[in-house]
């Protein structure tokens, strides 16, 4: 949002104006500290006030600016700024009136700054989108001695309207993303424990590329018979719906796990449940499809049963340092309704690390899944032994300092 505001200012200088500032309200900049009333003002100032988000000038140092980037900006009640905010209409002053009795008479500090910098023509217009005033932008001329014309006014209003729409879209995206992130944080497990059977650690890394947070999830379920279930899944889509669906699936898997079902049975029942829920859902959204991997470890026998539903296979880091990817039948994604799943049984010696992950860890625009799995094997083999450090090292190696292209979930477990 700040970038859009700054782009508006830089686009208009010097093509249209010699000085431009863009001030946005708190609803558009939710990450800022709350604005407070100026205690030193001799008369009331209007709240809501703004925060400066864009600034440009033909002069170095922007001497025309009373407030600079990120500063709180306050406007007087008896001023064109207040009128623009209240009415949503532009203030057009082709020749600034400095005479006694004008609005600048009540704002001597601003008047003095405008005189000192040679400001002589002014446009104050709202940044308005979908009925909301998101902020105010000011266009002024100093070196250019021509006053703003009606054509200049129309051009400035077009620029402001386009910028306001972009700002509103960014505001809506930010709100939905923050809501989805909060929902997902509440739905994902906060404390993971494998008890005496497994040492576990995890990482979740949301991406900034898509429309919102995705439906990646993971869980560790300690069962009454001493076994431990490890689950990783990925719901298609992004946003609040994906996060909510993820929560429903996690709850369903926990319920099925406590029934003592084998992994392929858990996935079969989960597939049937999601299909049934989709049939009962009257919303026009796309059908829910998800991938999932379910592993059931028995510490008494050291045997691990694993099934997957269209999900990437797990990685095994052996005590020798070798990394393998067990050849587990792929199965169909959850929500398709075919329920075709198989289980593979492995025997895990003490100190073996089982790594479950979502495709965001291994898949990029340049690499397919096979190439990503190879890189993951190299990263696991080179990672330090403590699981928390192992998680951090693997993700750092896989991303290589670049932002994640998709959400990433990583769950690792070491047999005791």
């Amino acid at each position: 949002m700040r970038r859009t505001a700054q782009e508006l200012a830089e686009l208009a200088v010097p093509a249209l104006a010699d000085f431009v500032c863009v001030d946005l309200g708190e609803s558009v900049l939710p990450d800022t500290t709350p604005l407070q009333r100026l205690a030193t003002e001799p008369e009331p100032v209007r709240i809501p006030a703004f925060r400066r988000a864009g600034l440009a000038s033909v002069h170095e140092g922007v001497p025309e600016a009373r407030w600079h980037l990120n500063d709180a900006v306050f406007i007087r009640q008896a001023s064109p700024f207040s009128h623009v905010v209240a009415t949503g209409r532009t203030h057009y002053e082709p020749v600034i009136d400095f005479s006694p009795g004008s609005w600048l008479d009540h704002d001597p500090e601003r008047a003095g700054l405008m005189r000192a910098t040679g400001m002589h023509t002014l446009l104050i217009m709202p940044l308005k989108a979908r009925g909301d005033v998101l902020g105010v932008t000011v266009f002024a001329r100093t070196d250019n001695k021509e006053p703003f014309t009606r054509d200049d006014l129309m051009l400035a209003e077009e620029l402001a309207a386009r910028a306001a729409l972009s700002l509103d879209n960014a505001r809506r995206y930010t709100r939905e993303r923050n809501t989805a992130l909060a929902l997902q944080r509440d739905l994902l497990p906060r404390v993971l424990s494998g008890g005496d059977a497994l040492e576990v650690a995890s990482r979740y890394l949301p991406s900034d590329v898509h429309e919102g947070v995705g439906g990646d999830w993971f869980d560790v379920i300690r069962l009454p018979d001493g076994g431990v279930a490890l689950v990783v899944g990925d719901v298609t889509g992004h946003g609040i719906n994906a996060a909510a669906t993820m929560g429903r699936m996690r709850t369903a898997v926990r319920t099925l796990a406590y029934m003592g079902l084998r992994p392929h049975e858990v996935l079969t029942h989960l597939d049937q449940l999601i299909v049934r829920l989709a049939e009962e859902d009257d919303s026009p959204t796309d059908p829910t499809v998800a991938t999932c991997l379910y592993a059931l470890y028995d510490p008494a026998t050291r045997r691990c049963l694993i099934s997957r539903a269209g999900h990437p296979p797990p990685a095994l880091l052996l005590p020798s340092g070798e990394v393998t990817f067990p050849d587990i039948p792929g199965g169909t994604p959850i929500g398709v309704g075919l329920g075709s799943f198989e289980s593979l049984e492995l025997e895990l010696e003490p100190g073996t690390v089982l790594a479950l992950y979502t495709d965001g860890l291994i898949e990029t625009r340049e690499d397919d899944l096979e190439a990503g799995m190879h890189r993951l094997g190299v990263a696991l083999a080179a990672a330090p032994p403590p699981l928390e450090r192992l998680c951090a090292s693997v993700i750092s190696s896989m991303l290589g300092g670049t932002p994640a292209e998709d959400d990433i979930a990583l769950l690792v477990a070491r047999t005791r």
Side-chain angles (χ1 to χ4, degrees):
M1 287 175 276
R2 287 181 172 83
R3 182 176 61 188
T4 299
Q6 185 60 32
E7 287 175 350
L8 169 60
E10 292 176 355
L11 180 64
V13 173
L16 176 63
D18 296 330
F19 167 73
V20 175
C21 64
V22 182
D23 303 328
L24 300 179
E26 288 183 277
S27 65
V28 188
L29 299 171
D31 58 331
T32 56
T33 55
L35 296 167
Q36 303 295 326
R37 186 181 299 274
L38 288 178
T40 58
E41 286 287 332
E43 65 178 84
V45 292
R46 185 178 175 86
I47 301 295
F50 302 98
R51 199 169 291 276
R52 184 135 297 170
L55 195 60
S57 170
V58 295
H59 301 115
E60 186 176 355
V62 198
E64 305 94 332
R66 183 179 179 185
W67 292 284
H68 293 272
L69 289 177
N70 297 319
D71 285 352
V73 177
F74 297 85
I75 56 178
R76 295 176 180 272
Q77 291 180 344
S79 74
F81 298 92
S82 177
H83 182 74
V84 167
V85 173
T87 64
R89 294 196 295 269
T90 297
H91 173 80
Y92 172 44
E93 196 166 352
V95 179
I96 296 176
D97 184 6
F98 291 100
S99 63
S102 71
W103 67 274
L104 284 170
D105 230 14
H106 303 284
D107 197 346
E109 185 176 349
R110 187 187 299 272
L113 182 62
M114 292 169 72
R115 282 195 180 96
T117 55
M119 199 175 294
H120 62 90
T121 184
L122 182 68
L123 294 172
I124 307 171
M125 59 185 54
L127 292 168
K128 187 176 180 180
R130 300 181 177 96
D132 292 336
V133 175
L134 309 179
V136 173
T137 184
V138 175
F139 299 82
R141 285 177 176 171
T142 54
D143 293 11
N144 184 343
K145 300 307 179 184
E146 294 295 322
F148 285 123
T149 65
R150 289 288 176 180
D151 288 341
D152 295 327
L153 172 62
M154 291 176 61
L155 175 58
E157 287 183 332
E158 177 67 18
L159 291 174
R162 290 179 179 272
L165 185 58
S166 296
L167 288 167
D168 190 55
N169 289 336
R171 178 180 65 160
R172 289 165 180 259
Y173 160 79
T174 300
R175 284 179 176 175
E176 179 172 340
R177 176 174 171 78
N178 289 342
T179 300
L181 278 171
L183 176 60
Q184 188 170 56
R185 279 194 297 266
D186 287 342
L187 293 173
L188 288 174
R190 299 189 180 186
V191 178
L192 297 176
S193 173
D196 296 331
L198 297 169
E199 177 190 358
V200 296
S202 66
R203 285 291 187 279
Y204 172 72
L205 184 66
S207 163
D208 290 325
V209 175
H210 294 286
E211 296 176 357
V213 66
D216 293 23
W217 59 285
F218 55 87
D219 207 352
V220 177
I221 309 167
R222 297 171 61 183
L223 302 174
D225 62 1
V228 181
L230 305 170
V231 194
V232 167
D234 185 0
V235 178
T236 58
H238 293 81
I240 295 175
N241 289 336
T245 301
M246 173 272 291
R248 297 166 76 180
M249 292 188 66
R250 176 174 177 253
T251 301
V253 168
R254 278 190 159 259
T255 301
L256 294 168
Y258 289 131
M259 293 172 62
L261 302 177
R262 294 162 69 86
H264 67 276
E265 295 172 327
V266 169
L267 295 182
T268 298
H269 284 286
L270 181 64
D271 183 47
Q272 295 170 351
L273 175 63
I274 295 302
V275 169
R276 191 176 305 119
L277 290 174
E279 291 173 348
E280 296 171 356
D281 190 354
D282 294 330
S283 68
T285 56
D286 294 334
T288 297
V289 178
T291 64
C292 185
L293 188 147
Y294 186 98
L296 180 60
Y297 178 66
D298 182 357
T301 63
R302 296 199 174 279
R303 295 185 183 277
C304 185
L305 279 173
I306 307 176
S307 293
R308 61 189 182 114
H311 201 83
L316 282 181
L317 173 59
L318 304 179
S320 64
E322 180 186 0
V323 177
T324 64
F325 293 86
D327 187 16
I328 303 167
T332 56
I334 300 297
V336 174
L338 298 179
S340 177
F341 310 107
E342 300 178 42
S343 294
L344 177 69
E345 184 176 271
L346 303 172
E347 187 170 344
L348 306 182
E349 59 180 303
T352 300
V353 174
L354 182 65
L356 283 62
Y357 53 91
T358 53
D359 60 5
L361 182 65
I362 61 173
E363 191 173 28
T364 66
R365 293 187 184 92
E366 290 77 23
D367 291 342
D368 58 16
L369 291 178
E370 186 174 345
M373 288 167 59
H374 174 74
R375 292 192 299 112
L376 175 58
V378 173
L380 279 169
L387 289 189
E388 291 292 341
R389 292 179 59 195
L390 182 147
C391 286
S393 174
V394 166
I395 289 181
S396 176
S397 297
M398 295 300 289
L399 293 182
T402 61
E405 295 181 9
D406 198 358
D407 292 359
I408 293 173
L410 173 64
L411 174 63
V412 295
R414 178 183 285 123
T415 55
R416 296 187 187 274

